Amino acid sequence: MKNIYLILMLSAVVFSASAQRRTNFDFDWKFIVADSSDFAKTDFADTQWEDVQLPHDWNIGMKFDFRAGGSAAFLPESIGWYRKSFKAPNSYAGKQVSILFDGIFHQSDVYINGKHLGFRPYGFCSVEYDLTPYLNIGKENVIAVRVNCTGERPRWYSGSGIYRHAWIQTVNPVHVATYGTAITTPEVSDDKAAVQIITTIKNTTDKQQIVSVSQRIIDANGKQIGKSVKEKTTVDADSGTDVKQMLTLANPNIWDVDSPNLYSMETTVSAGGKADVYTTNFGVRTFAFDADKGFSLNGRRLKLKGMCLHQDAGSMGVAVPDRSYERRLEIIKEYGCNAVRCAHNQPSPEFLDMCDRMGFIVIDEAFDKWKSGYYAKYFDEWWQRDISDMILRDRNHPSIVVWSIGNEVQEAWDQTDAGVERARMMQDFVHKLEPSRPALLSAQNNHQAKFSGVTDVVGYNYLEARMLSDHKTYPERRFIITEELPYYSGEQGNIRSYSTNNPWNIIAEHDFIAGGFIWSGVDYLGESDWPSKGWPNGLFDICMFEKPRAAFHRAMWNEEPVVRIAVKDQSLDIEAGHDLWQWPRIAAHWNFPQNYRGLIMEVLTTTNCETVELYQNNRLMGRHNTADFPNHTIVWNVPYNPGRLTAKAYNDGKEVAQYTLTTSKSAHHPALTADRSIIKADGQDLSHIAIRLEDENGNMVQTDDKMLTVTIEGEGRFRGIDNAELRREEPFGGNSLKSYFGQALVVVQSTRKAGEIKVNIVMEGSEEPYTVTITSK
């Protein structure tokens, strides 16, 4: 595993579309915050419980409590129960029936008809339980789930509840195991790709079975373009076996970040006249981590322009509908991001499917800490099971290029060999289970050099200067910056030197660094100090509105000419955030108090162009070469006078980009913009309505914030209103909130009935609502 990696992997397991295999189980649950062993009993009366649907996070709607601590966004711990009654149809007879939860946070116990199916402490993995022995076919059955969110919790907001999808799976007694396909391509050329698939077959009958296995490759147009011969094998009673097969794919369409081509593998397992069909999406690609050349994809060097992302989404907490994730990825893709680090846990399966479809490189991360923090008491018993479940579920995603086995673990400081031995033990386990990808550890400040040298790829958090030095000392190591400061950088031995040389400059200038992942790409809840409820130092806020500070990376990550204007003013009411993750307080407006008139202010123009001209009220203030200033940011000293600031950017003497700030009047009305006016009537789909305060001339107003109240009519339900202000006093879940810097975001969700959704916004000082209509069908 210490050689250069040229690896092909294939995309996420996606079950057959047939309702016989998997049925969504998200609706018609009952819920209560309380605890009693009686709740598991079949005949318990739950009619007074709250009606909920999954995904569900009960913690996000609770009142803030200082005693709960900033890691949990000051939201208190508690225990909750879920119950769902359902009729098992006669078609389940003779089938294997299981329930699959994509995520329950955390310390969960699951029951069926009063029978305890199992306990799972880790809250970020998918969990499957066999229901077959306990089901009452043709009668009512009751699933009950206890979720214990007391005791230690992660450093970031992790929510509480069944916060991802749930599924009922029905298969024949002889079938492909859940996540039971492993696809690789050991040989790839322009002309052909050798495709290997290993299928895990389960025989749950009490007799030996003769089984045939066949494979078909389907392209994006639904056309069969590859087929295997049928492989016959014998599977013992109540046992399983693996079947390996090879196919050839002619003239493969390669998966790439710019062209994320995908195929489907249709696996058919037949026994006793019954067939089980299982579909796996995959993509053909190679990649390499190299000690000198960094990262390459399909033989082409690719600098990873990455973001670390937590999974929460403002007032929805961690119960994030798929469309919310999709919108987030669409926004950062347009911004120039090509890689995501899932911090610090494996994400939902749907998130990885989106990364495959949209073309992101992914670091899939198993853990934050090992034998410290909230996972410490469970580590010895559960780490192998939790890593194994992550890898088996996620191994076919072409977006994933590395398995991260830990982040900033306490063992990194251990001067003995205990930490090294633990890291090596975990890496060996990963290699044995899934040898086609490297393993990664992310090391923090003052870590032991021997510790960071264990894994195939070395992740450094905020240690660009040390990385330059260690590259000379350990030239065989493959380096990546797994956490990158967004503005300041540190010196070797002094991480808090607050140098204004942006860390991305160091990453971009050195070929051996595979790339960097900004901490954080998006603001998130938790890891905060009162009164803040979250981490405010991202490039995007919790509404996914791009901040003025994001101009630098937009300029550096894109070839399209760009110029932005921001004004520095340390008196701005912007949360500074944490220590070395801070930014100078800047805003993208030209509205300042009367007593600022004539005051010389620092105006920043950030660009990827050669030169910039700045105009104030049509008067040229000067022309500067970008190369004469650090961080592609020209600093101008401009006396404040209301009106217009315009930056014009030039390449080769030709104007190629322009940006203007206009002094606005007071807020006159809210402008409403829905990201989608037509959504699916599936009870899950979303529309995000961006609210922007404007003056009577249509200029954005950032300095006259107003209270906004939301009501919903028709076939939709209110999911939340957010702004970028994490120091909020109002609990999440309310329908009124003040705008922040002139913006807010409303999220509405469809019901399962087609129709119109009328979203009404009343702005403080106005009685008439402003309305946008969404159609669900």
Side-chain angles (χ1 to χ4, degrees):
M1 293 296 291
K2 289 294 182 181
N3 298 321
I4 293 175
Y5 288 87
L6 284 173
I7 306 169
L8 174 110
M9 290 303 298
L10 310 150
S11 161
V13 170
V14 178
F15 290 86
S16 167
S18 168
Q20 283 190 320
R21 174 127 204 145
R22 190 169 84 156
T23 305
N24 183 269
F25 208 57
D26 286 348
F27 297 97
D28 304 319
W29 288 82
K30 293 285 190 176
F31 172 75
I32 193 171
V33 177
D35 190 28
S36 170
S37 59
D38 290 342
F39 297 165
K41 296 178 180 178
T42 304
D43 59 357
F44 179 82
D46 57 20
T47 54
Q48 298 303 309
W49 289 17
E50 180 184 359
D51 294 317
V52 300
Q53 75 175 57
L54 310 182
H56 181 249
D57 173 10
W58 82 75
N59 208 185
I60 193 65
M62 302 178 84
K63 293 182 179 180
F64 298 125
D65 184 343
F66 180 80
R67 297 167 297 179
S71 294
F74 300 100
L75 292 167
E77 63 181 29
S78 52
I79 297 174
W81 279 78
Y82 296 84
R83 286 170 58 90
K84 178 170 177 172
S85 299
F86 67 103
K87 186 176 182 179
N90 292 330
S91 60
Y92 283 8
K95 299 282 189 178
Q96 287 294 120
V97 183
S98 64
I99 187 167
L100 176 67
F101 295 100
D102 285 341
I104 308 173
F105 197 87
H106 66 160
Q107 300 177 134
S108 62
D109 290 274
V110 179
Y111 301 81
I112 176 70
N113 297 329
K115 305 292 185 181
H116 186 237
L117 297 175
F119 167 73
R120 194 63 179 263
Y122 198 47
F124 298 111
C125 54
S126 297
V127 186
E128 183 183 20
Y129 294 108
D130 183 13
L131 305 181
T132 312
Y134 313 108
L135 278 180
N136 299 315
I137 303 298
K139 299 179 181 179
E140 287 294 310
N141 297 265
V142 177
I143 292 277
V145 182
R146 180 181 188 263
V147 185
N148 179 4
C149 282
T150 63
E152 286 198 73
R153 290 183 278 179
R155 292 184 288 167
W156 60 95
Y157 178 75
S158 50
S160 301
I162 309 176
Y163 68 100
R164 292 177 181 165
H165 295 301
W167 310 90
I168 289 290
Q169 301 183 142
T170 56
V171 296
N172 294 324
V174 179
H175 59 273
V176 179
T178 302
Y179 312 126
T181 52
I183 305 174
T184 56
T185 52
E187 298 178 14
V188 179
S189 68
D190 292 338
D191 299 330
K192 63 181 180 179
V195 181
Q196 175 183 284
I197 177 168
I198 299 174
T199 305
T200 299
I201 302 168
K202 295 292 186 183
N203 173 18
T204 60
T205 73
D206 57 3
K207 295 181 180 179
Q208 187 182 75
Q209 299 287 333
I210 298 174
V211 180
S212 69
V213 186
S214 61
Q215 312 285 350
R216 294 197 311 147
I217 298 177
I218 311 297
D219 69 11
N221 297 316
K223 180 182 177 182
Q224 177 182 304
I225 56 173
K227 186 178 181 180
S228 74
V229 298
K230 285 187 178 180
E231 184 83 17
K232 288 195 173 183
T233 189
T234 300
V235 186
D236 291 338
D238 196 24
S239 184
T241 192
D242 290 342
V243 175
K244 181 190 295 185
Q245 293 167 288
M246 295 293 298
L247 297 84
T248 299
L249 180 60
N251 304 312
N253 291 319
I254 301 300
W255 185 93
D256 192 89
V257 292
D258 298 321
S259 302
N261 298 298
L262 294 172
Y263 295 96
S264 295
M265 183 75 75
E266 184 182 275
T267 303
T268 302
V269 171
S270 300
K274 297 180 179 180
D276 179 64
V277 180
Y278 189 93
T279 301
T280 309
N281 289 340
F282 69 93
V284 177
R285 56 98 175 96
T286 62
F287 70 86
F289 286 95
D290 184 86
D292 297 314
K293 299 178 182 178
F295 179 79
S296 63
L297 181 65
N298 303 316
R300 176 176 63 93
R301 186 178 298 172
L302 180 69
K303 189 70 77 171
L304 298 181
K305 304 168 183 176
M307 293 183 179
C308 296
L309 297 179
H310 277 309
Q311 63 182 347
D312 61 279
S315 59
M316 293 184 289
V318 297
V320 184
D322 298 341
R323 171 56 193 161
S324 178
Y325 283 139
E326 184 179 52
R327 173 178 176 263
R328 176 178 293 193
L329 291 173
E330 287 171 351
I331 290 170
I332 66 172
K333 183 77 173 181
E334 185 279 332
Y335 177 76
C337 176
N338 64 15
V340 171
R341 177 181 177 224
C342 302
H344 299 291
N345 50 265
Q346 66 179 125
S348 72
E350 293 77 17
F351 181 88
L352 293 174
D353 290 342
M354 295 172 198
C355 290
D356 293 339
R357 294 196 307 268
M358 299 171 70
F360 285 94
I361 298 298
V362 173
I363 297 176
D364 201 358
E365 192 152 271
F367 307 116
D368 183 26
K369 308 296 185 183
W370 294 341
K371 300 197 76 171
S372 61
Y374 76 102
Y375 192 64
K377 64 181 178 179
Y378 295 119
F379 179 87
D380 288 333
E381 180 180 356
W382 286 96
W383 75 265
Q384 291 189 30
R385 175 76 177 275
D386 290 335
I387 285 185
S388 177
D389 284 358
M390 178 185 82
I391 290 175
L392 291 179
R393 194 198 75 175
D394 297 347
R395 59 188 170 180
N396 294 311
H397 286 278
S399 56
I400 297 172
V401 298
V402 65
W403 304 116
S404 173
I405 60 175
N407 173 69
E408 296 183 353
V409 297
Q410 183 172 289
E411 290 86 343
W413 292 319
D414 194 338
Q415 296 187 11
T416 71
D417 288 335
V420 170
E421 291 170 0
R422 185 166 297 136
R424 187 171 292 123
M425 170 186 71
M426 296 175 73
Q427 176 171 255
D428 289 347
F429 181 81
V430 169
H431 286 171
K432 184 177 181 180
L433 183 64
E434 207 288 288
S436 71
R437 289 180 180 85
L440 165 76
L441 269 172
S442 295
Q444 69 274 41
N445 195 29
N446 297 321
H447 69 268
Q448 296 290 312
K450 60 184 178 180
F451 181 84
S452 61
V454 171
T455 50
D456 309 305
V457 180
V458 183
Y460 275 16
N461 290 356
Y462 318 118
L463 300 175
E464 294 85 5
R466 176 172 172 176
M467 179 175 286
L468 298 180
S469 175
D470 283 357
H471 175 60
K472 297 176 181 178
T473 307
Y474 309 102
E476 76 284 358
R477 293 184 181 180
R478 287 175 288 276
F479 288 102
I480 188 169
I481 294 293
T482 39
E483 293 185 21
E484 170 194 344
L485 290 172
Y487 183 81
Y488 295 108
S489 60
E491 299 173 353
Q492 186 171 2
N494 182 16
I495 194 174
R496 287 172 170 80
S497 63
Y498 306 105
S499 166
T500 54
N501 182 33
N502 195 288
W504 178 254
N505 294 325
I506 301 170
I507 295 166
E509 290 165 4
H510 293 86
D511 289 343
F512 78 89
I513 304 176
F517 291 78
I518 295 169
W519 192 273
S520 60
V522 179
D523 290 351
Y524 58 92
L525 303 181
E527 205 162 2
S528 57
D529 298 316
W530 187 271
S532 180
K533 311 308 183 300
W535 186 275
N537 297 120
L539 302 181
F540 291 81
D541 62 37
I542 59 172
C543 302
M544 290 307 299
F545 297 148
E546 185 175 337
K547 300 180 183 180
R549 65 182 61 169
F552 172 78
H553 287 90
R554 173 175 284 281
M556 296 301 94
W557 286 0
N558 292 278
E559 294 183 1
E560 180 179 351
V562 61
V563 64
R564 294 288 188 270
I565 305 175
V567 183
K568 185 185 293 186
D569 182 1
Q570 291 295 356
S571 70
L572 289 166
D573 186 22
I574 298 173
E575 184 181 356
H578 296 259
D579 193 15
L580 64 164
W581 292 268
Q582 293 181 53
W583 297 69
R585 287 183 170 95
I586 58 175
H589 68 70
W590 196 233
N591 275 66
F592 292 93
Q594 182 68 22
N595 62 357
Y596 273 47
R597 281 181 178 264
L599 183 69
I600 306 299
M601 303 188 71
E602 281 195 17
V603 174
L604 314 176
T605 56
T606 301
T607 186
N608 54 9
C609 301
E610 295 170 357
T611 60
V612 174
E613 291 179 345
L614 184 68
Y615 294 81
Q616 182 180 34
N617 298 330
N618 297 319
R619 175 175 173 263
L620 178 64
M621 304 300 292
R623 182 184 180 102
H624 290 305
N625 295 321
T626 307
D628 295 337
F629 295 82
N631 296 324
H632 285 251
T633 300
I634 300 170
V635 180
W636 311 78
N637 295 298
V638 179
Y640 175 67
N641 285 297
R644 294 167 65 89
L645 280 181
T646 299
K648 297 181 179 180
Y650 297 82
N651 284 332
D652 297 324
K654 180 181 178 181
E655 183 181 336
V656 291
Q658 186 177 127
Y659 193 81
T660 297
L661 298 181
T662 301
T663 303
S664 64
K665 299 179 181 179
S666 60
H668 178 266
H669 63 270
L672 312 181
T673 304
D675 65 337
R676 295 186 305 159
S677 60
I678 300 175
I679 62 177
K680 291 177 285 188
D682 60 0
Q684 300 279 10
D685 206 3
L686 302 178
S687 183
H688 300 81
I689 296 98
I691 304 174
R692 170 179 134 141
L693 301 190
E694 293 182 349
D695 66 12
E696 61 187 19
N697 298 317
N699 298 311
M700 184 176 180
V701 180
Q702 298 189 45
T703 55
D704 186 22
D705 286 309
K706 300 293 185 181
M707 186 65 69
L708 303 165
T709 301
V710 187
T711 56
I712 307 292
E713 300 176 40
E715 294 304 326
R717 68 186 188 112
F718 174 71
R719 287 303 308 267
I721 179 170
D722 285 307
N723 59 24
E725 175 59 277
L726 292 172
R727 296 167 294 180
R728 63 188 292 164
E729 298 177 359
E730 307 87 349
F732 292 103
N735 71 326
S736 292
L737 189 67
K738 197 172 187 178
S739 62
Y740 184 66
F741 278 83
Q743 297 188 103
L745 181 75
V746 172
V747 183
V748 295
Q749 189 169 46
S750 65
T751 66
R752 288 179 283 175
K753 182 180 177 181
E756 288 192 344
I757 307 168
K758 188 176 180 182
V759 183
N760 303 307
I761 310 291
V762 175
M763 186 182 81
E764 175 188 353
S766 173
E767 296 181 1
E768 292 298 318
Y770 293 81
T771 299
V772 62
T773 300
I774 311 298
T775 301
S776 67
K777 59 182 182 180

